[in-house]
Amino acid sequence: MKLTGVELRRVAMPLVSPFRTSFGTQTARDILLLRVVTDESVGWAECSALADPRYSSEYVDGAQDVIARFFVPALAAAGDLDAYAVGRSLAPFRGHWMAKAALETAVLDAQLRRDGQSFGQFLGAARERVPCGVSVGIMDSVPLLLEAVDRYLADGYLRIKLKIEPGWDLEPVAAVRDRFGDIELQVDANAAYSVSDARHLAKLDPFDLLLIEQPLDEDDLLGHAELARHVRTPICLDESITSARTAEAAIRLGACSIINVKPARVGGYLEARRIHDLCVANGVPVWCGGMLESGLGRAANIALAALPGFTLTGDTSASDRYYAADLTTPFVLEDGHIAVPTGPGLGVDPIPEVLDEVTTSLQTVALR
Ligand code: OSB
Ligand code: MG
């Protein structure tokens, strides 16, 4: 394939309810969409970068800038294009995994649409539907939290994840356990604690959580390994895992026993699959995380979550958990599961009328 055009579009997507975490409150997503045109086909992708660099160092304006300024010209100069060539062309540029992931995903979508192959087939999906969990934000009170969890369980979600931070941890966890009994329950701290909180975090042990996600800073692998010696709850890493290499280091150091794979955070689906393979080889359970994606990003995440090593329920929730009107045909929960798309590429397309309505800007990138 030869690259003939790249469009960068921003869309404003209000969330159905505010999503509060230790890194801030999201009330809407300001999403960067990529449309890549080649001489043979068209591909779409969503960049998962949030508006502020508070979950990780990336942010949406920065992602758009680095893609337009550096990444697209490098791809245009690279000649014959496929998803693997994207990684090679962008390797000289440091970091910017979410921006790289978006471009690689759009090219992979174009390639797979040309070949008539779905993301699931390409990645090695082993099932037709995936079990779904839901990530529940920090609430203003425990009763409001219980109400939200009650609704998600009634919807059919198979696993609940509670966002925690200092001052919102033992009490909400105890209340959810007490009210809902033996449900699959886990927590995510988004790096809100330090290793000196080990004794406090050990108080979560009696609640039999599936895991605690990213209690400490992104770069604190040794701290996580130390913490793992003081808590019984399995430690899962999210922010710390930026590549198969950091995943291997984390596993070898004993910093985690479970990994949350987010394709956006690790530079794309090819690296996500490598991490999956590494974890399978090391007996480390993995699950697919999310970044409040629209249907475009969700489609590929659900395909990835269908790989055989994804043995834990992911954060791949249905469209209506996030958006009143999704960009694509909505993903729906059936019996706690979402069906893996089967059409070519992502298997879903943006709905033109919805896209028009939510678009806030459109940049056509010069290929030079
Ligand atoms: O830490 O997993 C996280 C959303 C945005 C950024 C980071 C995280 C999350 C979630 C929600 O927990 C995942 C989802 O439902 O998409
Ligand atoms: Mg997380």
Side-chain angles (χ1 to χ4, degrees):
M1 296 189 299
K2 177 113 191 70
L3 189 65
T4 59
V6 177
E7 258 176 35
L8 302 179
R9 179 189 297 258
R10 293 281 279 275
V11 297
M13 300 281 291
L15 290 164
V16 291
S17 53
F19 183 63
R20 181 171 153 204
T21 69
S22 58
F23 60 85
T25 302
Q26 319 288 316
T27 56
R29 291 283 329 274
D30 173 359
I31 303 178
L32 171 63
L33 299 181
L34 278 67
R35 181 172 173 269
V36 161
V37 185
T38 75
D39 55 343
E40 296 182 81
S41 57
V42 169
W44 285 91
E46 165 173 354
C47 179
S48 295
L50 301 177
D52 306 313
R54 293 183 49 163
Y55 160 75
S56 72
S57 64
E58 294 191 77
Y59 63 104
V60 65
D61 285 332
Q64 181 160 350
D65 186 74
V66 78
I67 289 170
R69 190 184 301 273
F70 298 107
F71 294 176
V72 172
L75 277 199
D80 194 35
L81 196 60
D82 68 8
Y84 294 94
V86 176
R88 286 195 299 272
S89 303
L90 303 185
F93 302 105
R94 309 289 178 192
H96 295 283
W97 297 275
M98 293 185 189
K100 288 177 179 174
L103 203 45
E104 184 188 274
T105 303
V107 170
L108 180 55
D109 185 40
Q111 171 186 336
L112 296 178
R113 284 180 199 258
R114 177 200 64 187
D115 297 345
Q117 194 181 33
S118 71
F119 261 68
Q121 286 170 322
F122 172 82
L123 292 171
R127 45 200 164 176
E128 289 169 6
R129 57 177 211 161
V130 298
C132 298
V134 60
S135 174
V136 186
I138 294 165
M139 302 280 170
D140 289 338
S141 71
V142 167
L144 287 173
L145 174 69
L146 294 177
E147 220 173 87
V149 171
D150 192 39
R151 203 176 49 241
Y152 289 131
L153 290 172
D155 287 345
Y157 286 104
L158 299 171
R159 184 227 68 194
I160 299 291
K161 166 170 129 181
L162 303 181
K163 290 291 190 182
I164 59 167
E165 66 180 3
W168 180 264
D169 45 27
L170 303 176
E171 194 194 350
V173 168
V176 168
R177 231 343 148 225
D178 183 53
R179 167 82 175 271
F180 301 105
D182 194 23
I183 58 168
E184 290 198 4
L185 186 62
Q186 63 193 50
V187 293
D188 185 359
N190 288 111
Y193 295 88
S194 59
V195 75
S196 61
D197 295 315
R199 273 156 58 111
H200 178 71
L201 292 172
K203 294 182 186 153
L204 289 168
D205 286 346
F207 299 108
D208 280 316
L209 301 176
L210 289 168
L211 57 90
I212 177 170
E213 183 177 342
Q214 198 70 42
L216 314 179
D217 277 346
E218 179 181 320
D219 63 2
D220 197 4
L221 291 184
L222 293 176
H224 282 102
E226 171 69 17
L227 180 63
R229 288 188 277 275
H230 293 94
V231 301
R232 222 180 50 228
T233 309
I235 292 177
C236 169
L237 291 177
D238 171 355
E239 287 90 324
S240 295
I241 307 298
T242 54
S243 63
R245 191 179 280 156
T246 52
E248 188 174 10
I251 294 167
R252 281 220 224 152
L253 286 169
C256 66
S257 53
I258 299 174
I259 285 179
N260 166 341
V261 180
K262 284 182 189 167
R265 200 195 55 226
V266 302
Y269 289 86
L270 300 176
E271 189 72 1
R273 185 170 59 183
R274 287 180 204 114
I275 294 174
H276 163 271
D277 296 349
L278 171 85
C279 288
V280 170
N282 284 276
V284 170
V286 290
W287 55 281
C288 184
M291 294 286 294
L292 313 172
E293 285 92 349
S294 79
L296 276 179
R298 191 156 309 283
N301 284 349
I302 287 166
L304 180 74
L307 265 61
F310 284 77
T311 52
L312 296 174
T313 302
D315 281 345
T316 51
S317 308
S319 292
D320 69 359
R321 179 259 174 270
Y322 310 95
Y323 303 109
D326 206 337
L327 288 177
T328 63
T329 305
F331 284 90
V332 292
L333 205 61
E334 268 175 71
D335 199 13
H337 292 68
I338 291 180
V340 179
T342 55
L346 295 172
V348 293
D349 293 291
I351 301 166
E353 303 81 62
V354 178
L355 199 58
D356 279 351
E357 205 171 294
V358 297
T359 296
T360 54
S361 71
L362 189 58
Q363 177 186 9
T364 304
V365 184
L367 297 187
R368 263 184 275 177

